[in-house]
Amino acid sequence: MASEFLGAARGLLACPVCGEPLDLVADGDRLVRAACKAGHSFDVARQGHLNLLGSAQPANADTVEMVEARTRVLASGAFDAVDAVLARRGSAARTVLDVGGGTGHHLARLLDALPAARGVSLDVSVPAARRAAKAHPRLASVVADAWGALPLRSRRFDLVTCLFAPRNMAEFARVLADRGLLLVVTPDAEHLASIRDTYGLLGIEGDKDDRLLRSASGHFETIGRQRVRSRVDADAALVRDLIAMGPNAFHGVPQDVEAIETRVAVSLWLFRPLR
């Protein structure tokens, strides 16, 4: 059952109230809550995820419709090339954190390639966390705000991944082990460019690379950058889903779309924490 997947997070979670370690508590064969020694307790949702947000999800969190669109896009194989590179770069990891993990797809594919590893998918969206809770037996799904103090213990992760998600570099450095690795995926200028240009979607900021490196400064050393490119022959349904899965969905998804050839074009950045 999905709640048992939370066992993947044993020894990794911290109380979002006081910072003490969180223990998972079972009732028979089912995990029912997480609790710390100070008495703070958090119930496991019946769908199998653990909500440590402490408030309602923000208005910009992924909706049910966005999560469904993302699920279909990822099932299409459009981002398989990205998953393959993540698996190669993270091959030494045994504990993995995926920040902004969404549906759990990317972490699940990574765990498929790492049979001895376990991971935590962290996302602020409850609909996304529900989906992630069923993504992989060695994946624990947690609802939390990536911009705040992460409800995770210090220096417990060999690998942190962050794909198109908020980057809290100070917290990433805190939870990574001394020789841990941070992998950040960012869109390049040509990423889905034909779709963005055709339908007037949100652009990609010209200074995004500089902002990433500035945010890493003082917490990480940059050890590499790999560009990933793959062609996507998108039919009309996939084009609509590519628009509907991201922030453009909050501005409306066009219904009258056509098949188009586009490209996944991203950079995979590699960082080591400064100690």
Side-chain angles (χ1 to χ4, degrees), residues 78-137:
F79 287 81
D80 282 359
V82 178
D83 289 325
V85 173
L86 286 172
R88 289 197 297 272
R89 293 294 189 175
S91 60
R94 293 297 177 267
T95 49
V96 184
L97 169 66
D98 187 16
V99 178
T103 67
H105 168 92
H106 297 294
L107 179 53
R109 298 292 76 76
L110 183 55
L111 293 174
D112 282 342
L114 305 175
R118 58 191 174 113
V120 174
S121 177
L122 187 150
D123 202 286
V124 76
S125 164
V126 172
R130 289 172 180 160
R131 180 80 63 167
K134 301 175 178 62
H136 197 283

Side-chain angles (χ1 to χ4, degrees), residues 100 140 195 220:
I195 296 177
F220 290 93

Side-chain angles (χ1 to χ4, degrees), residues 149-199:
L150 301 182
L152 302 165
R153 298 177 68 177
S154 298
R155 302 196 180 191
R156 293 296 174 118
F157 292 89
D158 302 317
L159 176 66
V160 173
T161 58
C162 182
L163 288 77
F164 312 107
R167 300 184 293 268
N168 188 339
M169 291 298 198
E171 282 293 279
F172 293 175
R174 179 183 66 80
V175 303
L176 273 168
D178 287 345
R179 293 300 299 163
L181 181 66
L182 169 64
L183 301 179
V184 175
V185 174
T186 59
D188 290 337
E190 63 268 39
H191 181 61
L192 305 179
S194 60
I195 296 177
R196 288 190 290 106
D197 292 346
T198 300
Y199 298 103

Side-chain angles (χ1 to χ4, degrees), residues 37 66 114 129-130 201 241 275:
K37 291 182 179 179
M66 293 167 71
L114 305 175
R130 289 172 180 160
L201 306 183
D241 281 339
R275 296 289 193 235

